Amino acid sequence: MNIETIATAKRTARIAGFIYLIVVLTGMFSLGYVSSKVNPENDLSVTIKNIASFEQLYRFGIFAEMLCYTAFLFLPLALYKLLKPVNERYAAVMVILVIVCVPISLSNIINKITLLDLATNEATQQLFTSAELKNQVWLHLQKYTFGNRIAQIF
């Protein structure tokens, strides 16, 4: 390896590390912190109240999750450059799997947006009885969980 190749690899590794940092921080915030604030007891009534009470935090959590998955899309591209000399086929498979995973994850966020609507939109709340509203919240929480599980396959 010549000095230029090593310098390029180091620069690419730093870029990958920075993208990883974005993924980790935004993921911890949106999937960890915000979720623990909004749904701490797995009680649907508390969850509905918390989403409404922490609406700005919840919205920022949705944004952070979208940023996380967008950054996650670019991470394997940087890693591909680093891993291509080791095994190009495996590096390409990694990129393909992430390219499949990210749209699933991003489309799954619609369930969180629906939860926000159910908890904060009075017109939406008037469409349902209290029990029906809880059922809708439960349904979208389950759909979000299942969507994450599907994305984790990739």
Side-chain angles (χ1 to χ4, degrees):
M1 291 186 113
N2 62 27
I3 293 175
E4 186 177 313
T5 305
I6 293 171
T8 302
K10 283 184 177 182
R11 186 175 45 244
T12 303
R14 285 187 184 107
I15 291 168
F18 178 71
I19 295 170
Y20 238 130
L21 182 64
I22 292 170
V23 169
V24 168
L25 294 178
T26 57
M28 285 174 46
F29 175 76
S30 64
L31 300 173
Y33 179 73
V34 174
S35 293
S36 70
K37 280 288 204 188
V38 172
N39 194 12
E41 303 167 13
N42 291 322
D43 180 340
L44 297 175
S45 297
V46 172
T47 300
I48 294 167
K49 288 177 188 172
N50 285 350
I51 291 173
S53 297
F54 300 114
E55 181 178 354
Q56 288 304 108
L57 177 68
Y58 191 76
R59 287 179 184 275
F60 192 63
I62 291 171
F63 172 76
E65 192 169 351
M66 293 171 71
L67 181 61
C68 175
Y69 293 130
T70 303
F72 188 61
L73 182 61
F74 292 102
L75 179 61
L77 300 176
L79 291 175
Y80 177 81
K81 285 184 175 182
L82 291 173
L83 299 173
K84 182 180 174 183
V86 177
N87 190 317
E88 186 174 2
R89 179 174 286 154
Y90 289 158
V93 168
M94 172 192 61
V95 172
I96 291 167
L97 291 174
V98 170
I99 288 173
V100 172
C101 170
V102 169
I104 294 168
S105 299
L106 284 170
S107 64
N108 191 37
I109 294 174
I110 194 72
N111 289 302
K112 282 192 164 184
I113 295 169
T114 302
L115 287 169
L116 180 64
D117 184 56
L118 289 168
T120 61
N121 188 335
E122 289 182 25
T124 302
Q125 290 174 350
Q126 291 177 355
L127 296 173
F128 303 107
T129 65
S130 177
E132 290 171 337
L133 183 63
K134 287 179 186 177
N135 288 337
Q136 286 293 315
V137 168
W138 180 84
L139 174 68
H140 288 284
L141 284 171
Q142 291 299 311
K143 288 171 68 174
Y144 180 76
T145 299
F146 294 147
N148 280 341
R149 288 180 185 159
I150 291 169
Q152 288 172 356
I153 291 170
F154 300 99

